[in-house]
Amino acid sequence: MGLANKVAIVTGGGRGIGQAIALRLAREGAKVAICDVQNSEETAARIEQLGGAALALKVDITVESQVKEAVETVLSEWGRIDILVNNAGITRDGLLMRMQESEWDAVLDVNLKGAFLFSRAVLRPMLKQRQGRIISIASVVGLMGNPGQTNYAASKAGLIGFSKSLAREVASRGITVNCIAPGFIASDMTDALNEAQRKALLDQVPLGEIGRPEDVAAAVAFLASDDARYITGQTINVDGGLVMH
Ligand SMILES: NC(=O)c1ccc[n+]([C@@H]2O[C@H](COP(=O)([O-])OP(=O)(O)OC[C@H]3O[C@@H](n4cnc5c(N)ncnc54)[C@H](O)[C@@H]3O)[C@@H](O)[C@H]2O)c1
């Protein structure tokens, strides 16, 4: 599954799942640009400690000029872009009755518009190369819904529809576009759950445990590799069996 000589961009790579993805792609041999509003340097330093090549870029993915500048920087440093991972995402939970317009907009802006801006920005180099991988981190919530997360679910379901449409637009040019839908993955949020909450959550998961960021990273590494050349427009669940298609 080697990614030697490949260049990857990981949004939201400063911590959590994005950091695990960046580290895994680097271990596979890719050069990795971390685009985050915070902590990009920390992930880049860890990649360099592993002997890999990294670029730490401070980018707000909702701002077109910052996205364009980041893509230009990667191209001027490394000359190509093979893999884009749209991972950055936020939540602003609340029941719809009480949801503020600002909470709706913030989630749609980061989770969906950010992926649109970055995907559009990398298409030109990928089209020229006649090769590329665009992988977006959606969520099982986009497939099954979740009370209190109408904005988040809409953004993640949106990412899936976006990816299928883009997959059809660029398939003939050697570019694949896929999503990963994680279920419950260990994070600051799941660490804060009490025993009863944890049990209620795990009762829904056939494999009986919370996933790790590395489980998501492994699926990204596969989709990014040449082994996944014949897979496009798909959503792969990494959820311990929570949702079965
Ligand atoms: N943790 C889970 O259980 C879980 C489950 C399903 C899906 N996901 C999805 O996986 C992705 C990563 O989740 P996580 O748990 O690691 O989250 P996290 O909050 O730990 O990390 C998200 C990263 O995105 C960055 N970010 C936020 N807004 C940004 C912006 N405007 N521009 C650039 N960077 C920005 C943050 O700074 C942060 O480093 C998200 O898309 C999330 O929706 C997570």
Side-chain angles (χ1 to χ4, degrees):
M1 245 187 348
L3 298 174
N5 304 319
K6 305 274 190 205
V7 171
I9 292 176
V10 180
T11 72
R15 71 171 192 212
I17 293 172
Q19 183 173 70
I21 293 169
L23 291 170
R24 176 67 194 259
L25 296 180
R27 280 204 187 91
E28 298 289 337
K31 297 173 183 154
V32 186
I34 295 108
C35 297
D36 202 312
V37 280
Q38 58 182 356
N39 301 335
S40 296
E41 300 78 12
E42 197 188 305
T43 306
R46 288 186 61 180
I47 289 174
E48 280 160 3
Q49 276 163 15
L50 293 169
L55 265 181
L57 302 174
K58 192 173 163 62
V59 186
D60 181 341
I61 63 163
T62 67
V63 181
E64 187 188 10
S65 58
Q66 293 189 25
V67 172
K68 274 190 173 164
E69 200 184 317
V71 167
E72 276 158 24
T73 304
V74 176
L75 285 173
S76 73
E77 287 286 325
W78 292 331
R80 55 188 295 119
I81 297 171
D82 301 286
I83 303 157
L84 168 67
V85 185
N86 290 311
N87 161 82
I90 61 167
T91 52
R92 294 284 183 276
D93 296 351
L95 295 174
L96 189 73
M97 281 271 289
R98 280 188 238 115
M99 187 171 289
Q100 303 294 313
E101 193 177 341
S102 60
E103 294 171 328
W104 176 271
D105 287 346
V107 169
L108 270 290
D109 264 9
V110 177
N111 299 9
L112 196 49
K113 184 177 160 188
F116 152 65
L117 289 175
F118 243 112
S119 302
R120 191 180 59 176
V122 301
L123 268 189
R124 200 180 303 276
M126 285 185 178
L127 287 169
K128 243 195 249 163
Q129 292 162 199
R130 298 189 74 82
Q131 185 199 321
R133 296 275 190 270
I134 298 177
I135 302 158
S136 298
I137 309 302
S139 167
V140 289
V141 169
L143 300 168
M144 63 193 278
N146 199 23
Q149 291 200 308
T150 50
N151 50 359
Y152 184 76
S155 73
K156 296 300 189 179
L159 259 184
I160 293 171
F162 168 82
S163 299
K164 288 178 180 174
S165 301
L166 182 57
R168 290 184 188 276
E169 286 185 18
V170 298
S172 64
R173 314 296 280 278
I175 301 167
T176 67
V177 188
N178 293 288
C179 285
I180 289 170
F184 302 120
I185 304 297
S187 64
D188 296 348
M189 212 171 64
T190 47
D191 286 350
L193 297 175
N194 64 35
E195 260 324 295
Q197 288 169 318
R198 185 173 287 266
K199 184 173 178 318
L201 203 119
L202 288 182
D203 280 347
Q204 303 173 59
V205 179
L207 284 177
E209 58 175 298
I210 290 178
R212 303 185 197 115
E214 291 74 19
D215 295 324
V216 179
V220 172
F222 167 63
L223 284 176
S225 74
D226 291 342
D227 286 345
R229 56 172 283 276
Y230 201 54
I231 300 175
T232 197
Q234 304 302 312
T235 298
I236 298 183
N237 286 28
V238 179
D239 64 358
L242 176 65
V243 175
M244 297 192 187
H245 295 291

